[in-house]
Amino acid sequence: MKQFSIRRARQALRFVSLLIAVLVLSAPVLPSQAEAAVVSRIVVEGNQRVDADTIRAYLVIRPGVEYSRRDEDESLKALFDTGLFADVRLDTRGGTLYVIVAENPVIKEVGFEGNRKFKDDQLSSAIQSQPRTVFTRAKVQTDVARLLEVYRRTGRFQASVTPQVIELPNNQVNLVFVFTEGPKTRVSGITFIGNQTFGDGRLRNVIATRRSGILSFLRSGDSYDPDRLAADEEKLRQYHLDRGFADFQMISAVADLDRERNAFFIAFTMSEGPRYRYGPIAVDTTIPGVDPAVLQRQVLTREGRIFSATEVEQSLEEITLYLAANGYPFVQVRPRLARDYDTQTIAVDYIVDEGRRTYVGRIEIRGNTRTRDYVIRREFDIAEGDAYNRVLIDRAERRLRRLGFFADVRIYTQPGATEDRVDVIVEVTEEPTGELSFGVGYSTSDGVLGDISLTEKNFLGRGYRLKVGVGAGSNARTYEFAFTDPYFLGRRISAGFNVFRREYQESNFRSYDYETTGGGITFGLPITENFSVQTGYRIELQDIQLDASDCDGGADDVSLAICSAAGETLVSSVFYTLIYDTLDSFRDPRDGIYAKFTQEVAGLGGDVAFLRTTGSASYYRELVADRDIIGLVNVKGGHIVGLGQSVRLLDAFLKGGETVRGFEASGFGPRDPGTGDALGGNIFAAGTAEVQFPLPVFPSEIGLKGAVFADAGTLFDTDAAVAAGTPLDSSSIRSSVGGSILWASPLGPLRADFAHVLTSQPEDREQVFRFGGGTRF
């Protein structure tokens, strides 16, 4: 009996324990169920500008509907996310829910203090806080970061911004950003790691970033800009790929900020790899009826030459354009490169296939606020509805970048309305295209000459080029107006006109005053990427002004040839010019050829008739790439013949130190034996050999170079008459050697030549030193 009672007691104890456990575990659930509540109405308090119904609309809680703690949290979050309120509280009293808000103030005015480098409107466009918008602390913090980024983009990493809030009645504030701009954070060092072929000085000329120096105030590029640094990486990569380094890798480009010195130190780390030449070049095609031998003639790459990624890309374009013009619009051309590491050659096989039949749906242009759509569209060789070809899209992107209208160009595709169509999206970022330029120049022949010009590359957003300029100097005055439409009548033909007036006074190198007024029209047609043709018409009224005593037979007379040319003469002529240009840079060439051939015929009306032919060719090549030693060979020549009349002095060639250094302006060639005046010649020929090299003592960023040269030339065969005897007219070669100092200064290219004449004639006029240069800033 006793055991039975103990057993029953134990069972009861277990039951009670189980019941307690259930109650304990159920405790969190029961209160949550008790939290569910219902309100009969919602009252909004504290609002001044925001309507109460608008506030209620953000609430998850509704009258007559049960709600929980989670609904309260979501309602609070929704109200805070509007940015309209500094504080929000929910309070339930009886059956009423009170929503108590404290509204953020409204910004009345936004001001800037201490900013000298940027105008107020520039800074205002960079921030979110604007007058008549809601003030929030988070928005102000974001605006401070944006303003600091504006200054960092211009290299001012020590700039600071302090926001000040001035409270006003009616829950309004004035917001003032106070700036401490600080000095510019410049680039104090640029180093290259891993470069073995090209020296540091050569690679510094490739990139846009420059080291700061004593002339930093006259130029840009010596402050740190992350976008410029990224562009420099691509420039270095492309530079090596175009010079045979197909395995080139840019490992890193690091900019370290030394805050104590307020300076950046930039290091480019690279791996060049071996230098390759082209191996066998072949074209394979799967398209019936297409002869690979014909396509081979479109290829620009040649076996044995140094490999160039740009040449391969241009070859793809040439093959694609040729096939598209011959009825194969969907062709796809891709290069297959096969490296031979033993011989360090790359065999290039151009694979030509019939691509998928995909058409261009829409060409959508975005970001052009000023440039007209058609100015962008005309750079495409394809239009909406045409066969889609990626090679032609890439070509259009390069053309748009070369225009100089846009800071950035990006072209990509997205699916079109149907499976066989793609839409082409063109995103551009415009940049200023107008330029107000001031020029200063000097030459030993014409003295100091200054000019001012206004140039607009994208006039009215239509791509027109406009230039207005005036110049004045010690012996000259010039006036010019020029206009060019690069796409005349919607075709890739440039058309333009210019008018000018030039006034030259008597000087040591000119024994008469000379004025000329004229103008002309010009048309240009690109034949290939490197070859173009220009043609046009010129009309010019020339006037040589002499005193009556200059031709009266006295001792101070000028040449009879000058007297014969005195007065006004109208010259009407047509011309054409052939131009071949493969230079890697027009301003600072290191590789390539620039050749020009011109013929001009005068006699279509006017007072004179002649045929003038001129030609020149310059060849640049890097002799020692890692030392930045450049070789230059130039040849030039000309011939003029009168058509039924003699050649006047003003139409003949006048040559001197600009052709063969060591001579004055008009310093050699036919001359009047009595007066010593230059008469000009009908035939000239000249040549120059020059080697340019960096000066070893000076840092490369200063831009100083040295050069040694040898010049030779001749000018002879005059039609001019003289008062007594015969003209001094010798076809002998004049020659000279010498050295030069070249300075790519922030004020423009300057050059000083020191020459020693090797061969000359007694009547020639020599000049040891010659200086010239100019600038646009």
Side-chain angles (χ1 to χ4, degrees):
M1 187 71 179
K2 185 177 180 179
Q3 292 179 345
F4 177 77
S5 297
I6 294 173
R7 189 184 309 115
R8 296 277 298 196
R10 289 176 177 173
Q11 291 176 348
L13 182 60
R14 292 194 189 99
F15 177 80
V16 172
S17 300
L18 180 61
L19 180 59
I20 293 172
V22 171
L23 292 174
V24 171
L25 293 174
S26 301
V29 178
L30 294 176
S32 70
Q33 293 174 347
E35 282 181 355
V38 178
V39 295
S40 59
R41 66 190 185 117
I42 300 176
V43 177
V44 178
E45 295 181 350
N47 57 312
Q48 298 177 3
R49 299 184 314 274
V50 185
D51 186 72
D53 288 338
T54 301
I55 295 174
R56 294 188 187 100
Y58 284 101
L59 299 176
V60 178
I61 302 170
R62 296 288 180 266
V65 180
E66 289 186 353
Y67 70 93
S68 64
R69 178 69 66 183
R70 177 180 296 177
D71 295 327
E72 291 182 358
D73 293 341
E74 290 183 2
S75 297
L76 289 172
K77 183 177 184 300
L79 288 171
F80 275 114
D81 286 346
T82 63
L84 299 173
F85 308 106
D87 188 27
V88 181
R89 291 185 296 112
L90 300 181
D91 187 13
T92 304
R93 297 194 293 268
T96 301
L97 175 64
Y98 290 90
V99 183
I100 306 166
V101 299
E103 293 180 346
N104 277 320
V106 172
I107 300 173
K108 184 178 181 181
E109 294 181 359
V110 178
F112 305 93
E113 294 181 0
N115 53 306
R116 297 188 304 274
K117 300 301 179 181
F118 294 95
K119 296 180 179 179
D120 288 1
D121 56 350
Q122 293 176 291
L123 299 175
S124 179
S125 63
I127 61 176
Q128 294 176 315
S129 299
Q130 300 292 334
R132 296 182 297 278
T133 62
V134 177
F135 169 87
T136 66
R137 300 282 179 185
K139 189 190 298 183
V140 171
Q141 291 175 356
T142 301
D143 288 340
V144 168
R146 291 186 174 190
L147 292 172
L148 287 175
E149 183 62 23
V150 171
Y151 274 84
R152 286 169 180 167
R153 289 287 177 183
T154 59
R156 297 185 181 275
F157 282 78
Q158 287 192 341
S160 63
V161 183
T162 303
Q164 294 182 354
V165 181
I166 304 172
E167 296 185 0
L168 302 174
N170 302 320
N171 200 25
Q172 292 183 319
V173 296
N174 283 342
L175 177 60
V176 181
F177 293 97
V178 181
F179 293 84
T180 302
E181 294 183 328
K184 206 169 188 179
T185 307
R186 301 191 181 276
V187 177
S188 290
I190 302 176
T191 58
F192 300 90
I193 302 171
N195 55 313
Q196 299 177 356
T197 304
F198 303 106
D200 288 7
R202 179 67 192 95
L203 296 182
R204 288 193 189 102
N205 290 326
V206 174
I207 61 178
T209 303
R210 294 288 181 262
R211 291 191 298 186
S212 61
I214 59 175
L215 300 175
S216 294
F217 69 98
L218 293 173
R219 64 185 178 195
S220 60
D222 63 340
S223 59
Y224 170 67
D225 184 339
D227 292 338
R228 187 190 296 130
L229 186 63
D232 287 341
E233 288 187 70
E234 178 59 26
K235 287 181 179 179
L236 289 170
R237 188 186 72 87
Q238 192 63 48
Y239 179 81
H240 285 82
L241 291 180
D242 287 341
R243 285 157 179 79
F245 297 94
D247 296 334
F248 176 83
Q249 291 183 340
M250 178 58 68
I251 298 174
S252 66
V254 179
D256 290 326
L257 175 61
D258 187 332
R259 295 191 179 276
E260 292 184 0
R261 299 169 59 180
N262 190 33
F264 273 100
F265 293 85
I266 296 176
F268 294 94
T269 303
M270 63 192 71
S271 173
E272 289 182 350
R275 193 172 203 172
Y276 293 92
R277 293 182 177 271
Y278 290 115
I281 308 295
V283 178
D284 293 330
T285 176
T286 61
I287 303 176
V290 175
D291 186 0
V294 175
L295 300 182
Q296 186 88 35
R297 291 196 289 270
Q298 312 302 318
V299 173
L300 303 179
T301 53
R302 297 290 183 269
E303 184 175 354
R305 292 200 316 206
I306 293 177
F307 175 84
S308 169
T310 298
E311 282 186 349
V312 174
E313 190 173 341
Q314 290 175 345
S315 297
L316 296 180
E317 289 182 4
E318 294 300 323
I319 295 174
T320 301
L321 291 172
Y322 176 82
L323 290 172
N326 286 273
Y328 300 94
F330 298 101
V331 69
Q332 297 293 326
V333 186
R334 53 186 174 85
R336 184 168 60 197
L337 308 180
R339 289 172 172 78
D340 188 325
Y341 296 100
D342 294 332
T343 61
Q344 294 185 359
T345 59
I346 298 179
V348 184
D349 193 1
Y350 296 94
I351 309 299
V352 182
D353 295 319
E354 185 68 45
R356 179 186 174 190
R357 291 184 172 271
T358 305
Y359 299 87
V360 177
R362 294 181 302 112
I363 298 180
E364 183 178 341
I365 301 172
R366 301 172 181 173
N368 55 319
T369 57
R370 180 167 177 263
T371 306
R372 308 296 179 94
D373 276 12
Y374 73 85
V375 174
I376 297 175
R377 291 178 182 272
R378 68 192 184 188
E379 299 299 330
F380 286 80
D381 291 320
I382 57 177
E384 292 165 340
D386 289 349
Y388 172 79
N389 193 296
R390 185 68 220 181
V391 171
L392 302 183
I393 296 295
D394 293 340
R395 187 185 205 190
E397 183 172 343
R398 287 196 302 276
R399 285 175 174 172
L400 289 172
R401 292 182 184 276
R402 284 199 299 262
L403 288 177
F405 300 169
F406 310 110
D408 188 36
V409 178
R410 179 171 172 255
I411 302 179
Y412 60 93
T413 61
Q414 62 185 26
T418 59
E419 289 186 358
D420 63 344
R421 292 187 179 271
V422 294
D423 294 336
V424 178
I425 311 300
V426 184
E427 290 185 352
V428 298
T429 303
E430 293 193 310
E431 63 181 357
T433 55
E435 180 184 77
L436 180 63
S437 301
F438 300 90
V440 177
Y442 175 80
S443 71
T444 47
S445 59
D446 292 321
V448 178
L449 179 67
D451 68 82
I452 179 173
S453 64
L454 174 64
T455 304
E456 172 56 62
K457 295 184 292 186
N458 190 14
F459 185 58
L460 300 178
R462 301 174 183 269
Y464 300 146
R465 298 170 191 162
L466 182 69
K467 181 179 180 181
V468 181
V470 295
S474 53
N475 298 317
R477 281 167 179 70
T478 61
Y479 311 89
E480 179 183 8
F481 176 84
F483 174 86
T484 302
D485 180 0
Y487 273 80
F488 184 59
L489 299 178
R491 299 183 179 275
R492 201 176 292 276
I493 299 174
S494 65
F497 70 90
N498 74 307
V499 292
F500 61 87
R501 177 172 174 78
R502 304 184 181 101
E503 302 172 358
Y504 301 97
Q505 298 177 349
E506 181 179 350
S507 67
N508 294 333
F509 306 97
R510 187 185 304 109
S511 57
Y512 51 87
D513 292 342
Y514 173 52
E515 296 180 355
T516 177
T517 303
I521 57 175
T522 304
F523 299 91
L525 175 65
I527 305 301
T528 67
E529 289 291 323
N530 301 323
F531 181 64
S532 61
V533 178
Q534 293 181 353
T535 186
Y537 169 78
R538 294 192 191 100
I539 186 168
E540 184 176 356
L541 181 62
Q542 302 172 342
D543 183 14
I544 289 183
Q545 300 174 354
L546 297 171
D547 294 334
S549 60
D550 290 335
C551 300
D552 61 1
D556 296 331
D557 280 359
V558 298
S559 174
L560 178 61
I562 298 176
C563 294
S564 302
E568 293 184 347
T569 302
L570 183 66
V571 180
S572 174
S573 64
V574 294
F575 69 91
Y576 74 90
T577 300
L578 308 178
I579 300 174
Y580 179 74
D581 182 5
T582 64
L583 295 181
D584 58 345
S585 169
F586 188 78
R587 298 187 64 178
D588 188 20
R590 286 175 164 78
D591 185 73
I593 297 173
Y594 184 85
K596 186 175 181 180
F597 177 83
T598 300
Q599 281 196 312
E600 181 181 7
V601 180
L604 304 179
D607 301 321
V608 295
F610 60 78
L611 170 63
R612 179 191 288 123
T613 303
T614 58
S616 65
S618 298
Y619 174 59
Y620 293 84
R621 182 171 181 177
E622 291 182 322
L623 300 179
V624 185
D626 60 332
R627 300 293 183 183
D628 197 19
I629 299 178
I630 312 299
L632 161 65
V633 176
N634 172 267
V635 293
K636 63 183 71 173
H639 176 258
I640 184 171
V641 58
L643 302 178
Q645 57 185 253
S646 299
V647 177
R648 298 183 313 138
L649 178 143
L650 289 181
D651 301 324
F653 300 109
L654 293 167
K655 297 298 177 181
E658 80 288 340
T659 304
V660 179
R661 282 160 285 195
F663 294 87
E664 291 183 355
S666 304
F668 67 88
R671 196 171 296 277
D672 189 318
T675 66
D677 290 316
L679 303 177
N682 298 339
I683 301 173
F684 85 92
T688 293
E690 181 172 294
V691 176
Q692 300 176 2
F693 50 87
L695 294 176
V697 179
F698 300 93
S700 59
E701 60 269 16
I702 294 180
L704 280 173
K705 279 187 173 184
V708 292
F709 63 83
D711 293 343
T714 183
L715 172 66
F716 60 96
D717 188 24
T718 181
D719 290 348
V722 295
T726 59
L728 302 174
D729 187 1
S730 172
S731 61
S732 63
I733 301 295
R734 278 75 164 183
S735 62
S736 66
V737 294
S740 305
I741 297 176
L742 296 79
W743 185 24
S745 75
L747 297 180
L750 303 175
R751 177 169 188 137
D753 296 314
F754 302 86
H756 172 69
V757 174
L758 297 178
T759 58
S760 63
Q761 291 297 304
E763 66 271 14
D764 295 340
R765 298 182 179 180
E766 300 180 7
Q767 183 183 68
V768 175
F769 174 73
R770 180 179 177 86
F771 177 78
T775 183
R776 312 216 69 81
F777 53 87

